[in-house]
Each structure stands twice: as C-alpha cells, then as structure tokens.
C-alpha cells in the first residue's frame, strides 16, 4: 500500500474535496482499493462521506493519546462504495493530539496503524488538518508522498513556503523517503491577474507544480453537501474533469512506485 498525505498548513485550500474526489476516481475508474483517512478533528471529509455517527469509533480511538488507542484501524473503517473506504475522524481527535505530546514514538502512531491494513488497500489518502500539528506530522511521517493543494494568491504562497520548509525538516528528522508529488493549484480562475501571477511566481521559483489546475465551482461544495464528489454529482463539470486528470497523474505514480 502506498500512502499519500494531502496537506498544507493553510486552511481553505480544498484538501478534503481533493481527497474525496481523488479517492472516488481512483476507486471507480482505475479500480484501485482506496482508503481515505480523515485525520482532521474538523471532520470535513467524514461529514461529506458518511451519514453515521462516528463518535466512539473514529481515528481518535485508534490513535489514542498519552496511551494507545482501544480500537484497531480495521474496526472503524467504513465501506463507502466498491473499492472506496473511509477511516473517519471525530472532534475527539483534538484531545488525541494533546495526549500524543507526552507519548513515546508519538510521530509514528499513525504509521503503525496504517501498517495493520497495508495488505488490504492499494493506496491510503490522508486528509490532513490545516496546521503543522502533531497529527499532520504523523501523516507526513507515514506517507510515501505528499500532495499540496494551494490557492494561487500571495497569502497562500507565504504559507506554502513555510510548509515546504517543514517538509525538508520532516525528511531530515523523520521520513527521508518522503516524495513531493506536487503543488496543486485550487480555486484557480484564469481571468484573475493575481492568480496567473501567482502561478508564474511558482514556476519561476522552480516549485513542483502539478500539470492540472482545479478551478472554482459552487458545484464542488454542493456535491459535498449531498455526500458526493463533483465527479459523481455533475460528471461533465469542468472540475470533475480536472479531478479525473489529477487521478490519472496519481494512478501513473502508483503504477511506477
């Protein structure tokens, strides 16, 4: 099983929507067995995917806190559709993070949990919190690669530079094999000069941009409110096609690694 962290310390970059859409396309159109892992206490991905109450049966109970969790990862996984599964989050993950601070081997807790299901799935997609928290560090330590959604505007580029610096630290101290799949521009509008300028600035800086751009569409939010991705909610929407192109790139990486 390969593991991809979908991460950025900045909020509002479309991490959850990207995780959901990418997982759905990899599962349905590329026949990959996909485990989506929601490690964000805000539980946006879980709320978009599952209509069940996950309190008492979420990653909080798997990871534990100052002491190990009481459930195995297999016990909490929900089947969403053919080939697509979810390890749900819950607000209790906020307390988990506080407890992990005092735990030996705290950066490797998620990695050990994922190892228990490595033979069951082709890929795990981790939806990370919008922070450089211990939960995010756990995700980056467990991951083979990281995908970085970002809005193409000045305030996001400053946060992006900090996050890239954090990735260098993770490689030096915890996960030397961590790859960067690329930076994924989200909410992109080609009519906006500052969006085009931000893309140009990233290109001139030699940053690893993905070949696809995810545009802004109200349909993405509407799909999440209906428990779907835009790919199934409105298959002909331009953003649905953009996510298919992204999934093609990720599927190619999975085939080559």
């Amino acid at each position: 099983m390969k593991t991809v962290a979908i991460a950025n310390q900045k909020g509002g970059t479309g991490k959850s929507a990207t995780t959901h859409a990418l997982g759905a396309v990899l599962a349905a159109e590329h026949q990959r067995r996909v485990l989506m892992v929601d490690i964000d206490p805000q539980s946006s991905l879980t709320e978009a995917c599952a209509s069940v109450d996950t309190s008492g049966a979420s990653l909080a109970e798997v990871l534990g806190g100052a002491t190990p969790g009481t459930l195995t990862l297999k016990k909490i996984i929900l089947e969403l559709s053919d080939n697509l599964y979810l390890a749900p989050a819950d607000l209790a993950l906020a307390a988990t993070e506080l407890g992990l601070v005092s735990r030996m081997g705290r950066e490797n807790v998620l990695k050990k949990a994922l190892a228990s299901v490595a033979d069951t799935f082709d890929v795990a997609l981790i939806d990370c919190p919008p922070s450089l928290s211990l939960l995010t560090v756990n995700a980056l330590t467990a991951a083979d690669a990281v995908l970085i959604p970002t809005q193409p505007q000045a305030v996001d580029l400053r946060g992006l530079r900090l996050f890239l610096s954090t990735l260098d630290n993770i490689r030096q101290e915890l996960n030397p094999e961590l790859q960067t799949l690329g930076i994924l521009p989200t909410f992109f509008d080609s009519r906006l000069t500052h969006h085009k300028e931000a893309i140009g600035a990233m290109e001139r800086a030699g940053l690893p941009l993905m070949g696809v751009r995810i545009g802004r569409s109200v349909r993405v939010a509407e799909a999440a409110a209906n428990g779907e991705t835009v790919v199934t909610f409105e298959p002909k929407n331009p953003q649905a096609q953009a996510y298919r192109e992204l999934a093609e790139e990720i599927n190619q990486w999975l085939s080559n690694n």
Side-chain angles (χ1 to χ4, degrees):
M1 180 181 78
K2 292 297 181 182
T3 301
V4 177
I6 298 172
N8 190 332
Q9 69 181 37
K10 179 78 168 53
T13 62
K15 291 185 291 294
S16 297
T18 296
T19 305
H20 196 185
L22 182 57
V25 178
L26 286 173
E29 300 182 18
H30 295 280
Q31 298 303 302
R32 298 283 189 179
R33 285 182 60 82
V34 180
L35 174 63
M36 299 187 298
V37 180
D38 190 353
I39 199 168
D40 185 355
Q42 296 181 43
S43 311
S44 298
L45 176 62
T46 298
E47 291 177 6
C49 294
S51 58
V52 298
D53 180 7
T54 59
S55 60
S58 74
L59 273 171
E61 285 69 42
V62 175
L63 302 181
T67 58
T70 56
L71 295 177
T72 64
L73 185 56
K74 291 180 181 179
K75 290 286 188 181
I76 69 159
I77 290 174
L78 305 174
E79 182 175 2
L80 303 177
S81 60
D82 288 346
N83 291 327
L84 186 62
Y85 298 80
L86 172 71
D90 183 75
L91 187 58
L93 275 171
T96 289
E97 182 158 35
L98 291 174
L100 284 175
V101 171
S102 61
R103 179 127 155 232
M104 287 284 271
R106 55 186 176 268
E107 297 93 348
N108 290 292
V109 175
L110 178 61
K111 183 177 182 178
K112 290 179 179 178
L114 290 174
S116 68
V117 298
D119 294 336
T120 306
F121 300 98
D122 297 317
V123 59
L125 304 175
I126 309 175
D127 183 23
C128 296
S131 63
L132 294 178
S133 63
L134 257 179
L135 293 174
T136 300
V137 170
N138 259 265
L140 295 173
T141 302
D144 297 292
V146 56
L147 176 66
I148 311 167
T150 186
Q151 290 199 45
Q153 50 194 16
V155 65
D156 290 80
L157 295 188
R158 287 195 292 271
L160 177 62
R161 293 188 191 98
L162 288 172
F163 185 69
L164 292 174
S165 177
T166 296
L167 291 182
D168 289 339
N169 292 335
I170 293 288
R171 291 187 183 99
Q172 291 175 21
E173 303 294 338
L174 296 169
N175 187 1
E177 303 302 319
L178 179 64
Q179 300 178 43
T180 299
L181 281 176
I183 297 165
L184 176 69
T186 55
F187 301 99
F188 176 69
D189 189 336
S190 61
R191 298 169 298 179
L192 299 179
T193 299
H194 71 282
H195 278 201
K196 291 185 286 187
E197 289 177 344
I199 295 292
M202 286 188 278
E203 290 174 340
R204 289 191 297 275
L207 298 182
L209 282 170
M210 301 294 290
V212 62
R213 311 282 184 264
I214 307 298
R216 188 182 300 275
S217 174
V218 69
R219 295 301 192 192
V220 176
E222 290 176 352
N226 282 274
E228 297 184 55
T229 73
V230 68
V231 177
T232 55
F233 185 72
E234 192 173 281
K236 294 184 179 180
N237 186 283
Q239 305 329 311
Q241 181 56 35
Y243 279 123
R244 290 191 184 94
E245 292 174 14
L246 175 64
E248 183 63 44
E249 291 192 40
I250 303 303
N251 187 60
Q252 189 63 45
W253 176 81
L254 289 171
S255 297
N256 293 334
N257 287 272

